[in-house]
Amino acid sequence: MITVNGHRIDWHEGMTIREILQVMKYSFRLLVIKVNGQLVKREAYDSTTVPDEAEVHVIHLMSGG
Amino acid sequence: MAHDPAQLKAWQAATIGIAGAGGLGSNIANLLYRAGVGKLIIADFDRITPSNLNRQFYFQDQIGRLKVEALKENLERIGGNIELSIHPIRVEALNLPELFGEAEILIEAFDRAEEKSMLLEAWTEAFPQKYYIGASGLSGVGRNESIHTEQFGNIYIIGDGCSEPIGNISPISARVTLVAAMQANLALELLLRKEDDNG
């Protein structure tokens, strides 16, 4: 199990950031993602795997200001 | 009536960075200036247009001027010993550490989500231990209760998290200023917390 924005979800070996976004149905255009406090760059969503019990934070950014 | 001397001392010793001097940034600067924050570093490359006046802290006789220069002038009219470091340039990942390195807190006051994302990533990479206060979702009117603060370690994001500007419709002064005020209010709180941590 891992935690994504406070929600517990199932984990499997080799789970990538991209898979987590699909499981969570996060389709926002602009996201900032941190895994165990470390920032994951956009280009690394497919190649970055998360460990079991990871704490994942997904931040949505909307325009306006 | 005056500020609490102990709190004022913590704010006077602080440096806060504000990236952007539009609807969020110009109002955040106004609030932090009045609180007595010792030094504000403000960067924005843009100039004032008539369409800015419905929500930004500028006046009609300042149209066409650089926002940071007009903002400095307006803030100094308030009076006080606040140091203002203004930069009429575009904030980028490469110049961010030099521009805002001195600040203990960076407040994001950009318009476009792409720019917000760049800033958050660059700041977190350069200064992972420092506070960052961003804004996300402030379009429309009303819905006070939807505006909230999300915390991710030392990153804070304030807004409704879902609204975006539609077409050419500008944010509404009351709602964008509400988010700006929450960003400024949180920055002042974090400065006091830091003071507590240092004993």
Side-chain angles (χ1 to χ4, degrees):
Chain A
M1 299 283 277
I2 57 172
T3 307
V4 183
N5 286 4
H7 302 283
R8 298 286 287 166
I9 66 167
D10 283 331
W11 174 86
H12 62 82
E13 190 71 48
M15 191 173 196
T16 65
I17 296 290
R18 185 76 60 196
E19 286 176 71
I20 293 171
L21 295 179
Q22 283 160 359
V23 171
M24 296 302 291
K25 298 186 168 49
Y26 286 150
S27 57
F28 284 93
R29 196 162 43 93
L30 275 156
L31 302 169
V32 175
I33 298 176
K34 290 181 98 179
V35 177
N36 293 334
Q38 294 293 312
L39 198 76
V40 181
K41 295 212 158 192
R42 205 173 319 281
E43 55 270 24
Y45 288 177
D46 290 306
S47 56
T48 304
T49 58
V50 302
D52 195 11
E53 290 305 321
E55 179 87 26
V56 182
H57 283 128
V58 182
I59 307 169
H60 305 139
L61 293 174
M62 314 301 290
S63 283
Chain B
M1 298 286 275
H3 290 318
D4 177 318
Q7 294 186 342
L8 183 59
K9 197 162 152 257
W11 296 334
Q12 281 173 334
T15 299
I16 294 184
I18 305 172
L24 290 170
S26 65
N27 289 307
I28 291 165
N30 174 33
L31 297 166
L32 294 179
Y33 193 98
R34 290 181 198 269
V37 171
K39 180 172 178 179
L40 300 176
I41 305 170
I42 309 167
D44 194 313
F45 64 92
D46 216 357
R47 288 177 183 273
I48 300 162
T49 65
S51 67
N52 297 151
L53 299 183
N54 67 9
R55 64 194 184 285
Q56 304 185 17
F57 181 43
Y58 301 109
F59 301 93
Q60 58 180 352
D61 58 355
Q62 294 176 321
I63 288 167
R65 295 185 53 195
L66 284 164
K67 288 185 176 178
V68 288
E69 285 181 1
L71 184 55
K72 183 168 193 280
E73 193 174 287
N74 296 344
L75 294 171
E76 284 173 348
R77 282 189 67 191
I78 297 168
N81 280 328
I82 314 294
E83 188 182 343
L84 296 171
S85 170
I86 57 166
H87 304 271
I89 55 174
R90 185 183 287 276
V91 180
E92 289 168 342
L94 283 179
N95 64 17
L96 178 102
E98 198 188 324
L99 267 176
F100 292 111
E102 201 190 326
E104 45 241 90
I105 299 176
L106 180 65
I107 304 186
E108 173 266 303
F110 283 159
D111 180 18
R112 294 172 51 241
E114 289 80 1
E115 302 271 300
K116 292 171 186 280
S117 160
M118 175 281 294
L119 193 75
L120 205 169
E121 289 190 3
W123 181 257
T124 313
E125 201 154 71
F127 306 108
Q129 76 289 2
K130 291 191 185 185
Y131 290 120
Y132 177 97
I133 305 175
S136 172
L138 46 79
S139 296
V141 68
R143 292 177 289 119
N144 282 345
E145 68 287 352
S146 66
I147 295 177
H148 61 281
T149 306
E150 285 188 46
Q151 185 189 350
F152 311 88
N154 42 12
I155 298 172
Y156 295 82
I157 307 289
I158 297 174
D160 62 32
C162 63
S163 69
E164 282 210 298
I166 300 165
N168 256 347
I169 308 296
S170 73
I172 308 294
S173 171
R175 204 157 191 267
V176 66
T177 307
L178 178 59
V179 172
M182 284 178 67
Q183 288 179 285
N185 195 34
L186 175 60
L188 294 171
E189 182 186 11
L190 293 175
L191 291 176
L192 298 181
R193 198 178 297 171
K194 191 170 149 270
E195 192 77 354
D196 288 345
D197 292 346
N198 294 343

